[in-house]
Amino acid sequence: MAVKRTLNRKQKDTSKPKSKAAHPTAIARRGLMFVLSSPSGAGKTTISRMLLRDEPGLKLSISVTTRPKRPGEVEGRDYRFVTAAKFENMVRAGELLEFAKVFGNHYGTPRAPVEAALTAGRDVLFDIDWQGTQQLREKAEGDLVSVFLLPPSIEELRRRLKRRAQDSNTVIRDRMSRAGHEMSHWAEYDYVVVNLDLKRTFSDIRAILYAERLKRTRQSGLTSFVRRLQAKL
Ligand code: 5GP
């Protein structure tokens, strides 16, 4: 026990940064758009929450939707709930980066917060469907990292949808029948992860995020950093 405590203290000390100032070799980079898609019930919401909890540099894009609020959902945290007329206005004014009709309701991504985040080097997480992902790919492929989550089996998908039980049986049946269609889009994504074990899936998805942050083309400060290194040769 004592050994464990000593080790813990040591680990803490060495891992703590000496100061809160940016590391002198921190290289400016453009943020990325991290899209997670899956049929409902494949674990996307759980994984999104885990990412947002553990990755402070990642912020969720809050979509606008015309669907009614579910119990427990909070305006501005889960969605911005708008009328069909307001949604239509936003589309017409070009305020949405992408939009789609899913299960009879309209969903869309407000453009301004995403553009501001990317320019400031912050990453944005999107919980959107394949239609929205296709639109983002057309508009901003260089900024996009897309991940598709698959359930380990159809039985497990049905179990997860039933357990959630927030929707009526008709909606659950509808979602099950649409799962096959949604899954047919797996090959359009950069990465595909089968969500058999939540911990493993989370660490796989985090690994994708970390690697993508290091992509050369995203590190906009590299040229000047290397120039500064060379100047001191
Ligand atoms: P739910 O109503 O269960 O929250 O979401 C239903 C589906 O709509 C999910 O597949 C979710 O990813 C998708 N969705 C949520 N927000 C957006 C959005 O802004 N754009 C698009 N294209 N799909 C969205």
Side-chain angles (χ1 to χ4, degrees):
M1 194 61 187
V3 173
K4 209 172 172 192
R5 234 183 282 133
T6 318
L7 270 180
N8 280 344
R9 209 178 305 133
K10 266 193 189 157
Q11 275 167 354
K12 246 188 189 165
D13 286 344
T14 51
S15 66
K16 253 188 192 164
K18 297 254 177 311
S19 102
K20 283 203 168 149
H23 194 279
T25 58
I27 290 162
R29 72 170 176 91
R30 186 165 163 78
L32 54 84
M33 306 198 294
F34 201 67
V35 171
L36 261 188
S37 296
S38 74
S40 4
K44 180 177 54 174
T45 308
T46 312
I47 294 288
S48 298
R49 286 201 187 121
M50 292 166 86
L51 279 170
L52 293 166
R53 183 195 63 199
D54 291 357
E55 293 295 332
L58 188 68
K59 294 279 173 270
L60 181 67
S61 162
I62 308 295
S63 298
V64 288
T65 182
T66 59
R67 91 150 156 70
K69 206 196 294 181
R70 294 196 189 119
E73 284 184 328
V74 175
E75 162 69 29
R77 185 196 67 186
D78 299 291
Y79 282 106
R80 280 168 56 199
F81 297 94
V82 296
T83 60
K86 169 77 179 161
F87 191 92
E88 186 54 39
N89 280 342
M90 292 180 87
V91 171
R92 249 190 260 125
E95 290 173 20
L96 300 180
L97 203 51
E98 62 75 34
F99 54 92
K101 198 172 182 185
V102 189
F103 310 126
N105 296 304
H106 296 279
Y107 296 83
T109 301
R111 178 191 298 276
V114 175
E115 288 180 349
L118 297 188
T119 310
R122 292 190 309 267
D123 304 320
V124 186
L125 176 66
F126 296 79
D127 173 346
I128 61 175
D129 79 333
W130 61 271
Q131 304 174 80
T133 312
Q134 271 184 359
Q135 293 171 49
L136 292 186
R137 194 175 302 111
E138 278 158 24
K139 285 180 185 160
E141 190 169 14
D143 291 326
L144 185 70
V145 178
S146 59
V147 182
F148 198 82
L149 265 188
L150 283 172
S153 67
I154 288 301
E155 292 73 34
E156 182 56 24
L157 185 72
R158 189 174 291 118
R159 256 198 302 278
R160 288 179 191 174
L161 276 178
K162 278 194 175 153
R163 214 171 29 223
R164 206 157 76 179
Q166 281 201 353
D167 298 305
S168 67
N169 279 341
T170 328
V171 173
I172 291 173
R173 258 200 309 277
D174 186 38
R175 287 188 177 204
M176 279 305 295
S177 74
R178 288 198 57 154
H181 176 63
E182 288 182 48
M183 274 191 278
S184 69
H185 291 276
W186 64 273
E188 295 158 24
Y189 284 72
D190 300 324
Y191 299 91
V192 179
V193 180
V194 178
N195 186 14
L196 181 60
D197 171 72
L198 196 61
K199 257 193 176 163
R200 176 64 200 265
T201 301
F202 180 53
S203 86
D204 285 349
I205 288 182
R206 241 179 158 183
I208 296 169
L209 177 65
Y210 290 172
E212 288 285 348
R213 280 175 172 165
L214 290 172
K215 212 165 187 177
R216 174 178 50 77
T217 47
R218 243 167 228 128
Q219 299 194 67
S220 47
L222 267 183
T223 309
S224 57
F225 177 72
V226 174
R227 267 201 207 118
R228 282 200 302 279
L229 285 183
Q230 286 172 327
K232 287 185 178 163
L233 278 176

